[in-house]
């Protein structure tokens, strides 16, 4: 970890263990105890810069490694789950934790989904390439990211512009408008004009301003014609499945004969007739990025994914300004960003180091307003990282193959039910305390009477090492399932997959206060309420220390923390 040079300003972000743990909770998939100790009293600015420079481990290469265990079966459950495997291993084991959190955040803004039985489910390379695009551009520029996803087979398939052709007045064919619509509505500017602080802009008559009409969508749709899979790159000697895999693992190609040569008018701009596809896309994306609403629209949603569900207007404006000018000054005085609008390094730094994010009690962000619900996916990863889970091998842990169900996490990475993500960014929960205050809390949209106990049961199974208790018959049944689909892996590995290390906690089983203090730092950055601590203490103290007593105390204490509001609500 590089140390700040003497001429730099003092960065006190990691002044104590609690502050360090809280920052890492916001910026990563969860702190590890050793990292908290190591980073405390060091420079958070230096940590951020080091995170920017860490190498990228590609999803496509690891998907190929996983699929080598089932080379003759392209569409079995195992093959379809390989992007899930690579996601979990990156989220839990990746050293580039900030990048991985940024990828997860961007995947919920620029949504594609492998939900359902279509090609994105059957050909994991499509989503693998998409995740690699997010990895590559996570700390780049939002404009460049938009271009990369435009040429992504996953996005083209999901938003139905794959093979999109120019209009034909003789047959009545018109270009597909799906991507054009979502590019504006969900990926860049939204429906209504915004001020830099995220509040709705109004005209001279104090009316909200609609940003586009259906004519704008029709004009923009012409831009995205002529894009299809790069068929020329496929080896015709390969079988259908191999060719399809190759095609979905490469950027789209342009087919000029299918691209509209008409004028393309949208958002006050007209691209002249006979402008080629590549140039039309560049002009269109540049023009969209120039719109005033992009910075607050994107910034607010990224803030929601990292620090708080209902950011103050002041917070949004500060982050949107960093996005707009492409620059941010770190606490140690160093500047980051290339001064281009859309710089994501400057944006994420502005989110994490903002006064609202670092201090709970500012007048503009009362304690009862600032914070967010930890998403179920993040909660699970928090546990795995906090307790140094060994053998992060989701391929042997079938409960992780599908976690969308209410009896599991109620959320599955890169598998929302629609392009609108798992939850709406403006969601206000009805009949709730937060709803009475008109607070947006998106994650509450997937929390209900089924998912709450489902999460508890899911985590209790993992925390207590339920996989290690599989019977011989259960292991044999799992092996038979693998054998039936010609998957060359040994089911006995399931017994050793996702094994948590509770040695330090077990040493404290006879000192409940010390045990809870450790869990408090590790999971709730010293913010666990006295009432929660007392409740857990009273409960686990009933477990005698004989036989498996210490283990049961630790298991129950961890599950009770993971399901407490002190943990679920990231303050």
């Amino acid at each position: 970890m590089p140390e700040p040079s003497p001429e730099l300003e003092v960065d006190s972000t990691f002044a104590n263990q609690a502050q360090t743990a809280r920052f890492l909770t916001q910026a990563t998939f969860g702190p590890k105890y050793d990292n908290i100790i190591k980073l405390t009293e060091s420079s958070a600015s230096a940590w951020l810069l080091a995170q920017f420079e860490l190498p990228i481990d590609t999803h496509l290469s690891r998907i190929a490694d996983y699929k080598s265990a089932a080379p003759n079966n392209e569409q079995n459950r195992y093959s379809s789950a390989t992007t899930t495997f690579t996601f979990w291993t990156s989220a839990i084991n990746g050293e580039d934790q900030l990048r991985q959190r940024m990828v997860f955040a961007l995947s919920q803004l620029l949504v594609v989904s492998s939900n359902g039985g279509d090609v994105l489910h059957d050909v994991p390379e499509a989503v693998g390439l998409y995740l690699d695009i997010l990895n590559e551009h996570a700390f780049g520029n939002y404009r460049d990211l938009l271009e990369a996803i435009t040429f992504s087979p996953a996005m083209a398939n999901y938003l139905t512009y794959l093979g999109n052709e120019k209009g034909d007045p003789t047959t009545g064919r018109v270009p597909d408008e799906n991507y054009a619509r979502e590019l504006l509505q969900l990926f860049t500017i939204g429906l209504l004009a915004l001020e830099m602080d995220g509040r709705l802009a109004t005209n001279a008559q104090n009316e909200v301003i609609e940003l586009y009409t259906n004519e704008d969508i029709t004009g923009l749709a012409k831009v995205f014609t002529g894009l299809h899979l790069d068929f020329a790159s496929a080896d015709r000697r390969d079988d259908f499945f191999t060719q399809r895999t190759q095609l979905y693992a490469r950027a789209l190609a342009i087919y000029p004969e299918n691209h509209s040569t008409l004028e393309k008018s949208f958002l006050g701009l007209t691209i002249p007739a006979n402008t080629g596809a590549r140039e039309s896309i560049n002009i269109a994306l540049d023009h969209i990025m120039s719109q005033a609403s992009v910075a607050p629209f994107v910034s607010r949603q990224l803030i929601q994914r990292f620090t708080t569900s209902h950011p103050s207007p002041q917070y949004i404006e500060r982050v949107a300004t960093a996005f707009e000018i492409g620059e941010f000054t770190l606490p140690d005085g160093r500047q980051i960003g290339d001064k281009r609008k859309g710089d994501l390094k400057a944006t994420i730094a502005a989110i994490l180091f903002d006064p609202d994010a670092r201090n709970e009690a500012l007048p503009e962000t009362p304690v009862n307003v600032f914070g967010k619900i930890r998403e179920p996916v993040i909660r699970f990863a928090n546990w795995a990282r906090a307790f140094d889970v060994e053998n992060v091998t989701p391929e042997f842990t079938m409960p992780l193959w599908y976690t969308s169900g209410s009896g599991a996490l109620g959320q599955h990475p890169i598998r929302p039910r629609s392009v609108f993500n798992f939850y709406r960014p403006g969601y206000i929960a009805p009949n709730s305390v937060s709803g009475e205050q008109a607070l947006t809390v998106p994650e509450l949209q997937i929390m209900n009477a089924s998912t709450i106990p489902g999460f508890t049961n899911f985590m209790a199974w993992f925390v207590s090492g339920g996989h290690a208790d599989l019977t011989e018959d259960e292991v044999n049944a799992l092996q038979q399932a693998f054998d039936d689909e010609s998957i060359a892996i040994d089911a006995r590995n399931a017994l050793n997959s996702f094994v948590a290390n509770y040695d330090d906690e077990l040493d404290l089983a006879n000192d409940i206060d010390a045990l809870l203090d450790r869990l408090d730092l590790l999971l709730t950055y010293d913010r666990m309420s006295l009432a929660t601590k007392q409740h857990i203490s009273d409960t686990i103290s009933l477990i005698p220390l004989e036989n498996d007593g210490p283990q049961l105390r630790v298991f129950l204490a961890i599950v009770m923390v993971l399901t407490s509001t002190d943990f679920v609500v990231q303050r």
Side-chain angles (χ1 to χ4, degrees):
M1 180 66 62
E3 293 295 328
S5 55
E7 67 272 11
L8 295 177
E9 298 176 24
V10 175
D11 179 353
S12 60
T13 307
F14 290 162
N16 56 54
Q17 292 178 7
Q19 288 181 206
T20 304
R22 182 169 181 260
F23 184 95
L24 294 177
T25 297
Q26 294 172 331
T28 75
F29 273 100
K32 296 187 174 188
Y33 188 80
D34 289 346
N35 287 343
I36 296 172
I37 302 304
K38 177 182 178 182
L39 290 173
T40 297
E41 297 185 353
S42 71
S43 168
S45 300
W47 177 86
L48 186 87
L49 293 172
Q51 285 286 305
F52 289 157
E53 299 304 318
L54 290 174
I56 300 173
D57 190 7
T58 69
H59 288 265
L60 281 176
S61 62
R62 286 180 289 147
I63 288 170
D65 290 340
Y66 280 119
K67 288 181 68 174
S68 65
N72 299 318
N73 291 270
E74 294 293 332
Q75 294 183 16
N76 55 40
R77 290 178 301 156
Y78 174 89
S79 175
S80 300
T82 52
T83 48
T84 300
F85 303 161
T86 62
F87 175 88
W88 285 123
T89 54
S90 292
I92 296 169
N93 283 344
E95 292 296 323
D96 57 338
Q97 278 290 296
L98 181 61
R99 183 187 302 277
Q100 296 312 316
R101 274 298 300 272
M102 190 66 158
V103 166
F104 191 43
L106 290 168
S107 76
Q108 296 188 55
L109 176 58
L110 307 167
V111 173
V112 301
S113 175
S114 60
N115 185 51
D118 65 2
V119 70
L120 299 190
H121 179 268
D122 294 339
V123 185
E125 288 78 6
V127 173
L129 174 62
Y130 195 77
L131 287 171
D132 283 344
I133 289 171
L134 298 184
N135 261 319
E136 179 185 354
H137 294 277
F139 301 140
N141 190 279
Y142 197 69
R143 159 63 178 81
D144 299 335
L145 174 56
L146 291 176
E147 181 174 344
I149 68 163
T150 298
F151 283 88
S152 158
M155 181 62 78
N157 179 277
Y158 192 58
L159 291 186
T160 63
Y161 64 96
L162 186 68
N164 192 16
E165 296 187 32
K166 61 187 176 183
D168 184 346
T170 61
T171 64
R173 183 183 68 213
V174 296
D176 187 285
E177 298 179 355
N178 206 11
Y179 183 60
R181 181 176 293 103
E182 309 306 0
L183 177 62
L184 297 183
Q185 180 181 346
L186 300 179
F187 301 168
T188 56
I189 60 176
L191 296 171
L192 302 173
L194 301 175
E195 302 286 0
M196 278 293 278
D197 63 6
R199 288 183 283 202
L200 292 175
T202 55
N203 59 21
Q205 289 73 43
N206 202 34
E207 301 167 329
V208 296
I209 304 167
E210 295 186 357
L211 288 174
Y212 54 88
T213 66
N214 196 59
E215 285 72 26
D216 292 302
I217 298 299
T218 300
L220 182 58
K222 298 173 187 174
V223 171
F224 304 109
T225 51
L227 298 178
H228 212 322
L229 299 173
D230 187 4
F231 293 105
S233 68
D235 190 335
R236 299 295 181 180
R237 295 169 297 180
D238 290 325
D239 60 39
F240 167 78
F241 291 120
T242 302
Q243 286 189 43
R244 189 172 65 162
T245 294
Q246 294 170 351
L247 292 171
Y248 276 91
R250 296 186 178 123
L252 300 178
I254 294 172
Y255 294 83
E257 66 275 15
N258 294 330
H259 179 70
S260 176
T261 59
L262 301 176
E263 284 188 346
K264 309 169 182 78
S265 297
F266 57 94
L267 302 181
L269 172 76
T270 296
I271 298 175
N274 299 315
T275 302
R278 176 73 67 172
E279 187 178 358
S280 291
I281 291 171
N282 285 334
I283 292 172
L285 295 179
D286 286 343
H287 186 60
I288 293 169
M289 276 294 293
S290 73
Q291 303 302 301
S293 290
V294 173
F297 182 84
V298 173
S299 296
R300 179 177 181 271
Q301 292 191 58
L302 290 179
I303 291 170
Q304 288 182 310
R305 300 279 57 82
F306 285 92
T307 57
T308 185
S309 295
H310 192 82
S312 68
Q314 297 90 339
Y315 189 2
I316 295 172
E317 183 167 16
R318 289 189 291 265
V319 175
T321 298
F323 183 100
E324 185 75 26
I325 68 174
E327 188 176 37
F328 180 77
T329 302
L330 294 170
D332 69 2
R334 283 183 280 192
Q335 290 187 327
I336 56 173
D338 63 4
K339 300 184 179 181
R340 288 175 60 209
K341 181 177 181 178
D343 188 282
L344 293 176
K345 285 183 180 178
T347 303
I348 187 56
I351 291 170
L352 295 174
F353 289 111
D354 190 84
D356 278 24
R358 305 275 46 88
N359 303 289
E360 291 183 4
L362 292 177
E364 65 194 52
T365 54
V367 172
N368 67 332
V369 170
F370 189 91
K372 69 187 294 292
I373 303 293
R374 295 195 213 204
E375 299 156 66
V377 163
I378 292 176
R379 281 181 247 160
F380 176 79
N382 283 173
W383 163 77
R385 288 182 54 77
F387 299 104
D388 295 317
V389 162
E390 300 172 2
N391 298 327
V392 178
T393 48
E395 66 271 29
F396 300 121
T397 310
M398 293 193 76
L400 292 176
W401 290 26
Y402 177 78
T403 59
S404 292
S406 58
L409 292 177
Q411 183 187 34
H412 189 105
I414 327 299
R415 198 173 288 178
R417 297 187 185 279
S418 78
V419 73
F420 293 96
N421 195 24
F422 303 104
Y423 25 66
R424 303 192 308 273
Y427 180 73
I428 298 175
N431 304 314
S432 67
V433 174
S434 60
E436 290 174 358
Q437 299 183 57
L439 301 179
T440 55
V441 187
E443 297 84 1
L444 285 179
Q445 196 168 358
I446 59 172
M447 292 185 70
N448 53 54
S450 296
T451 59
I452 292 173
F455 173 78
T456 301
N457 294 333
F458 187 87
M459 290 310 308
W461 189 84
F462 273 95
V463 170
S464 63
H467 40 24
D469 294 330
L470 292 175
T471 66
E472 184 176 351
D473 287 344
E474 288 172 327
V475 173
N476 290 337
L478 180 59
Q479 186 65 64
Q480 188 62 55
F482 289 149
D483 292 345
D484 287 345
E485 297 188 13
S486 301
I487 302 169
I489 60 178
D490 188 343
R492 288 173 296 181
N493 287 301
L495 299 173
N496 301 312
S497 182
F498 278 84
V499 177
N501 184 342
Y502 299 129
D503 289 347
D504 292 321
E505 289 72 30
L506 287 169
D507 288 342
L508 301 174
N510 64 342
D511 186 345
I512 293 176
D513 288 342
L515 172 62
L516 292 181
D517 285 345
R518 180 180 174 87
L519 297 181
D520 187 9
L521 174 64
L522 197 53
L523 298 173
T524 53
Y525 39 86
D526 283 354
R527 295 293 196 277
M528 194 185 303
S529 70
L530 292 176
T532 298
K533 282 190 175 182
Q534 190 63 55
H535 177 55
I536 297 174
S537 178
D538 291 345
T539 303
I540 68 173
S541 66
L542 298 175
I543 302 173
L545 288 171
E546 293 83 12
N547 301 319
D548 293 334
Q551 193 174 49
L552 293 175
R553 280 190 176 188
V554 168
F555 289 169
L556 184 56
I558 292 172
V559 170
M560 291 182 75
V561 173
L562 293 176
T563 55
S564 70
T565 55
D566 302 79
F567 175 78
V568 174
V569 179
Q570 175 187 300
R571 292 183 289 162

